Amino acid sequence: MQLKHILAGFCLVAAGTTGAMAEDLGPTLTKIKQTGTITLGYRDSSIPFSYLDGNQKPIGFALDICYHIVDAVKAKLNMPNLKVNLVPVTSATRIPLVANGTVDIACGSATNNEACEKQVSFTQTYYLTANRVVSKKSSNIHSIEDLKGKTVVSTSGTTNIQQLAEANKSKGMGMNILAAKDHSESFLMVETGRAVGFAMDDILLAGLVANSKNPQDYVVTPDAFNKAEPYGAIMPKDDPQFKAVADKATTALYTSPEMENLWAKWFTSPIPPNNVNLNVPMNDAMKKAFAHPTTSPNVADY
């Protein structure tokens, strides 16, 4: 009898040990599992990455990639009916909302750099862009040097406005720099003459111009404030379990034939809401980035 009690006690201890050794999902996956919801942040005017269509529905290249990550989370947690909550974010709020856990992934046009990585993490790179300036052709802005003494706008909370301020100081350009709340407001300032130029990532400028009332009225500077920088979706910092799921999902997508189709859908085909074609084919740098997925913020790695 005593031996049977001892063996029964051992089995209870073993069972308890097995439960204690259950897989550590990390904070984000645990929260998602407990709430039954994953929250994606979206932008309203970051064409073609994350923006609103004619029915005010969030769509875009970055969102499509984020939905692949959502599918991977569903599989990981065995939760096929996981709810997806969409929350609007801006350049200024996206990092704080991910850092404080309100948003699980911010899907848009976020530059992955060392400064941002001190606060958050990023998915593997899905675009490379440089900071240029759009202006009206009538303003005769042919290069960044032509902005000396002019009023230039950029969007609050972006690396672009920081680079604009740094160039203004280091080159003594005497620009009057304005900060707008979002890309739409920045472009509107150029459209209405309140600013001569709008400094922003070239692909976003291409989208804004293509969807403007008179696309032929605008020109983007050929020179840039920086070398091409990587875009990724923003994720919580110090959560390797969640990041591992995202990296596995994006690696599978990027290295598959589906990635070419996804690129064509958003960059070389007519897109909502006005059925404009950005005509941006996949260049060699992007082909390399997709063939060898990386989260590196170092521009020299691309």
Side-chain angles (χ1 to χ4, degrees), residues 34-54:
Q34 291 173 347
T35 62
T37 301
I38 183 170
T39 301
L40 304 183
Y42 70 88
R43 303 292 297 279
D44 63 0
S45 58
S46 289
I47 301 169
F49 300 95
S50 181
Y51 66 103
L52 299 176
D53 66 9

Side-chain angles (χ1 to χ4, degrees), residues 50-111:
S50 181
Y51 66 103
L52 299 176
D53 66 9
N55 296 315
Q56 299 300 293
K57 175 187 175 182
I59 60 172
F61 178 70
L63 275 171
D64 280 357
I65 292 172
C66 284
Y67 282 124
H68 275 268
I69 297 174
V70 170
D71 288 341
V73 170
K74 288 179 178 180
K76 174 72 174 179
L77 300 179
N78 192 24
M79 298 178 71
N81 297 319
L82 181 68
K83 179 182 176 182
V84 179
N85 184 33
L86 296 173
V87 173
V89 299
T90 67
S91 298
T93 64
R94 57 192 177 182
I95 287 180
L97 288 176
V98 171
N100 69 21
T102 301
V103 170
D104 298 315
I105 315 175
C107 314
S109 51
T111 302

